[in-house]
Structure formats: structure tokens, C-alpha cells
Amino acid sequence: MAAVGLQTHIWANNTRSTLLLIGFPVMLTLVLFGLELVLMGFGFLPNSGGTLGQDIGLALSMLAGTIPLAVVVALIWFAIAWFGNQAMIDAMTGARKVERRDEPQLYNLLENLAISRGLQTPTLRIIDSDSLNAFASGIREGHYSVTVTRGLIAALDRDEMEAVLAHEMTHVINKDVRTMIIASIFAGIISVLCQLVFRGMFYASGGRSRDNKNGGPLILIGFAIAAVGYVFAIVIRMMLSRTREYVADAGAVELTRNPDAMISALRKVSGRSKLQAPDDVQGMFLDNDREGFTDALFATHPSIEKRIAALIRFAGGRDPGSREGSVASTATTAVPVS
């Protein structure tokens, strides 16, 4: 955590966003090529009637016609997601917007944190769930939101809640939020195309007759290419390094000057953060506890224990132990409450 400055992290996130924007057309073309090979293998697309190489060459020539259509569809998808991402997230999580009069103390905490960094106050949203979790969302200034669960509000004291809000504000400041949403949009498009390949194979296997002597190899090659695209969609989420949570914890300490409150909040959240939502959205949560070897391998968050250890080592925080034995921090905060 000490070796990664906040400004360096912002630059890294901007670089990732650029790479995603550049790399997406390449991956989209690759997945489309795989889809065409599979369809040709099953006889849904015409073949050359010649060798395997000639069939592959014919599939490549078809890309000239399919890429423009795919790009138009992808752009429409991207535009809808760009302008409607918050509505989609609200629908998937049950979050609803609240005003200052609804949650004055919570709103004041968030507003003062934003003012302390010269930022426009994000919209405050609440999920009526007993789970203890929170996340930031939004793509551009004026459209950012911070969402917390009702369970989190009930469980945390003022200092702990301030630390969590500061953690989410740091995601906004560092541009983590924008990078996550762009990656989710692209990963979603690639995932849908790959699923078309897989489901097409399932239904076509009992459907049309095969009139292509190269059908088997074409299907295998197309399947392999689609598998690469599917794995890439997962890697997109993985490349959004788990270090962003360490940096956000550090940013919370920088904003509040209270590492003990961040540690205490994490202790209370630990084991109580489960909240139903698609994987892409769960990647934005304060904590995304996963179980089992596979989940751990593709985890989007470091463990609570590792995050607390980092806060103790680099920020001088004190661990109150398990949440049953936790006590409210008496440390002062750097952000005044109006």
C-alpha cells in the first residue's frame, strides 16, 4: 500500500480504461470469427466445399460483412449501458435514491467528505437489506452515487460509517468506478457472444444436417476461440487489480485520519456482507466474500484479514478483534460534521 500512491493508481486506472477501449474491437472480432466457424461447421453458414484452410479463409472473408453490423450493435449496447448503467444497477440491487431529509446524518457525512476534496456530492442510495455492504457507482462527474445497505447503517457507528463512505469516495476519486463499469459493459458483450456459440452448439447438434466434411475441426477451432474470448471476459475483471481495495482503504484513512474506524468497520462487515447481485456488480462492493477454491481463485477482493493487516502495518491502525469484541473508536476525525 505504501508503494502505490493515489495519483499513480489514478494513472493506472486511466491506462486500463484506454487499453480496454483499444482491446475491445480486437476481442470482438476474434469472438465473431469463432462464432462464424461454429456456424459453418454446423452447416448454418455456407462452406467453400474445399479444404479446411479454404473454409477458414471463407470465414475470414465473411468478417468484412459481419464486423460493421456487430460494431453498430455493440455501440448501441455501449450507449445504453453508458447512460443507463445506474438504472440497471438499481434494478439489479434494489437500491433507491434518498435525499438529505430522509437520512440527514448519513447525507451530511457524505457531503462533508466530498467538500473536503472539492468534489460534487455523489447521490446517496440505500438498499433495504440486512447485509452489511456498500459500493460506489457512476461514470462521470455529476452522476456518481454511493450506495449503502440498511444493515450497514444499523451496525456501524458514526466513525465507522464515515470510514466506509470515505472508502467509496476514494473509488470515485481514483476513477475505479468508471473503469469497473466500462469493463463490465465490454465483458458483458463478449460473454453474450460466447454464450451464443455454446448454446448454438447445443441446439444445432440435434438440428440441421451437416453438409461440411470439415465440420468437426471447424467447430473445435471455433469453440477454442470462443473459450479464449470467454476467459478474456473473466480476465477483464481480474485485471482490475485487487490492489484497488487496499488503495481505497488507504484513501479512507487519508480522508478521515482514523485507521481504527476503517478496521473496526471491516471487522463488523466480515462474514455479513453477502448481497445478491450479478458478478460484475459484486466486484464493486465494499466486500465480496467468496467461498470455495474456484471463487477464491477469481476473487475480486482481498480478504478482510489481509486488508486489516495492511491497515495495521502501513497506517498504524489497531485491530479490535472479532466484531463481537469490537468497541467504538474514540479517535477524532479529520472531517467536521455540519
Side-chain angles (χ1 to χ4, degrees):
M1 184 163 57
V4 182
L6 293 181
Q7 189 58 49
T8 301
H9 190 69
I10 293 172
W11 291 338
N13 275 331
N14 288 333
T15 301
R16 291 189 186 106
S17 297
T18 303
L19 290 175
L20 287 171
L21 289 169
I22 294 173
F24 174 69
V26 177
M27 287 307 304
L28 180 61
T29 302
L30 189 64
V31 172
L32 282 174
F33 180 56
L35 179 61
E36 287 184 352
L37 290 178
V38 171
L39 292 175
M40 185 179 289
F42 279 115
F44 284 95
L45 289 177
N47 59 78
S48 67
T51 64
L52 177 62
Q54 289 172 324
D55 278 348
I56 293 175
L58 178 60
L60 283 172
S61 67
M62 290 179 183
L63 284 174
T66 55
I67 285 179
L69 177 61
V71 169
V72 170
V73 173
L75 287 175
I76 293 173
W77 183 327
F78 189 82
I80 293 173
W82 181 274
F83 293 105
N85 65 86
Q86 188 61 58
M88 295 178 189
I89 292 172
D90 289 348
M92 290 184 285
T93 61
R96 59 181 176 82
K97 179 181 177 181
V98 296
E99 305 291 346
R100 183 194 298 271
R101 61 178 177 275
D102 302 315
E103 296 288 343
Q105 293 182 335
L106 191 62
Y107 191 95
N108 286 343
L109 279 176
L110 183 62
E111 183 180 61
N112 288 330
L113 287 167
I115 290 173
S116 72
R117 297 304 298 264
L119 300 174
Q120 185 174 342
T121 304
T123 301
L124 180 62
R125 283 179 160 80
I126 289 179
I127 301 174
D128 291 318
S129 166
D130 292 334
S131 170
L132 273 60
N133 225 320
F135 64 92
S137 55
I139 291 181
R140 59 194 186 279
E141 185 69 26
H143 294 80
Y144 291 117
S145 287
V146 171
T147 302
V148 299
T149 62
R150 185 65 68 186
L152 192 75
I153 298 172
L156 303 191
D157 65 26
R158 177 196 170 281
D159 290 346
E160 293 161 349
M161 180 57 74
E162 183 187 49
V164 170
L165 293 176
H167 173 103
E168 301 306 332
M169 283 295 300
T170 303
H171 281 312
V172 173
I173 295 168
N174 294 352
K175 311 298 183 187
D176 287 340
V177 178
R178 185 184 63 187
T179 307
M180 284 290 294
I181 290 180
I182 290 176
S184 296
I185 293 170
F186 287 171
I189 294 173
I190 292 174
S191 293
V192 167
L193 286 173
C194 292
Q195 288 178 24
L196 283 177
V197 174
F198 299 139
R199 295 187 181 188
M201 290 176 63
F202 175 78
Y203 289 112
S205 60
R208 299 184 55 168
S209 60
R210 302 176 186 177
D211 58 354
N212 189 343
K213 61 182 180 181
N214 302 317
L218 287 172
I219 292 170
L220 289 177
I221 295 172
F223 180 82
I225 292 175
V228 170
Y230 194 76
V231 171
F232 179 77
I234 297 174
V235 171
I236 283 178
R237 289 199 292 268
M238 291 293 294
M239 70 181 291
L240 304 177
S241 168
R242 300 173 194 177
T243 59
R244 70 182 187 279
E245 296 303 328
Y246 290 121
V247 176
D249 289 343
V253 174
E254 184 181 39
L255 281 171
T256 64
R257 310 296 183 192
N258 191 351
D260 294 355
M262 189 70 236
I263 293 173
S264 181
L266 290 174
R267 279 293 179 205
K268 289 185 177 180
V269 166
S270 180
R272 303 168 67 189
S273 63
K274 192 65 177 178
L275 186 62
Q276 293 298 323
D279 286 345
D280 293 335
V281 178
Q282 290 188 23
M284 299 191 295
F285 287 174
L286 171 67
D287 180 47
N288 185 21
D289 188 24
R290 310 295 290 267
E291 298 177 352
F293 172 76
T294 304
D295 282 343
L297 186 64
F298 294 102
T300 57
H301 288 56
S303 68
I304 291 287
E305 293 298 331
K306 289 181 178 177
R307 292 168 66 178
I308 289 175
L311 285 167
I312 294 172
R313 179 178 180 186
F314 296 109
R318 296 170 299 171
D319 183 5
S322 64
R323 60 186 172 85
E324 288 79 8
S326 64
V327 295
S329 171
T330 55
T332 58
T333 63
V335 183
V337 177
S338 59

